[in-house]
Amino acid sequence: MIGVSDSAAEGAPAPGTDHVRKRGRATGSPIAEWSFPADPGAVRTARTVVRRVLNDWGLNGAADMAVLLVSELVTNSLRHATGPIGVRMVLLSAGELLVEVSDPLPDPPQERTAAPDDEGGRGLQLVACSSRRWGTRRGKSGKTVWFELSVAG
């Protein structure tokens, strides 16, 4: 289980299951969450399950961007942390999709400017430019990087 227990979505459970859970809060907002081992196959698996759930929720238009940003954040977790990686999605009532990626490393990610020939260093810039808003927060034993996408029709 991921040690991050706080949440940007009031009343929503913390990441930490090894399978998708679709649960409703008092408002009926769908929630899906997963925990992946820290191995390279986690990125592909995360992309697949995120796309599948967003399609199930009728949010096909948001799927490509959400999959891209989740892929970036899970890759960052694999590069810099050891231990399980949590991914959680909450469809908020205001037409927003909250996506969280958690890992056991407490240090927040650092945005940097990548040189044209750098192979890395653009992931957080991509998240910042492509999401409605984003941020990080520390948990009891790790951190969460989150972003919101507008999914209102």
Side-chain angles (χ1 to χ4, degrees):
M1 184 155 181
I2 303 293
V4 178
S5 62
D6 58 340
S7 175
E10 180 184 313
T17 61
D18 58 356
H19 63 283
V20 64
R21 286 195 308 184
K22 295 180 191 176
R23 297 176 29 170
R25 300 185 308 154
T27 62
S29 296
I31 298 169
E33 56 186 342
W34 307 267
S35 180
F36 302 103
D39 68 55
V43 178
R44 179 179 30 204
T45 305
R47 285 192 303 253
T48 300
V49 297
V50 164
R51 183 174 302 282
R52 183 178 309 133
V53 168
L54 290 175
N55 287 337
D56 288 349
W57 289 352
L59 300 174
N60 299 356
D64 287 342
M65 185 57 64
V67 165
L68 175 64
L69 299 182
V70 164
S71 181
E72 289 293 332
L73 294 179
V74 170
T75 298
N76 282 353
S77 289
L78 283 172
R79 284 188 179 155
H80 302 289
T82 59
I85 299 165
V87 176
R88 190 163 149 264
M89 298 190 308
V90 181
L91 184 58
L92 303 173
S93 59
E96 301 293 327
L97 176 68
L98 170 67
V99 180
E100 300 173 323
V101 176
S102 303
D103 65 51
L105 184 69
D107 303 325
Q110 299 295 314
E111 259 188 289
R112 67 181 183 95
T113 303
D117 56 346
D118 284 350
E119 296 215 7
R122 294 175 185 81
L124 289 178
Q125 290 177 342
L126 183 62
V127 172
C129 292
S130 302
S131 62
R132 183 181 157 290
R133 61 187 195 129
W134 76 282
T136 64
R137 67 178 183 282
R138 286 187 178 196
K140 290 179 183 170
S141 61
K143 68 156 170 327
T144 298
V145 181
W146 59 270
F147 63 89
E148 288 182 3
L149 296 175
S150 179
V151 294

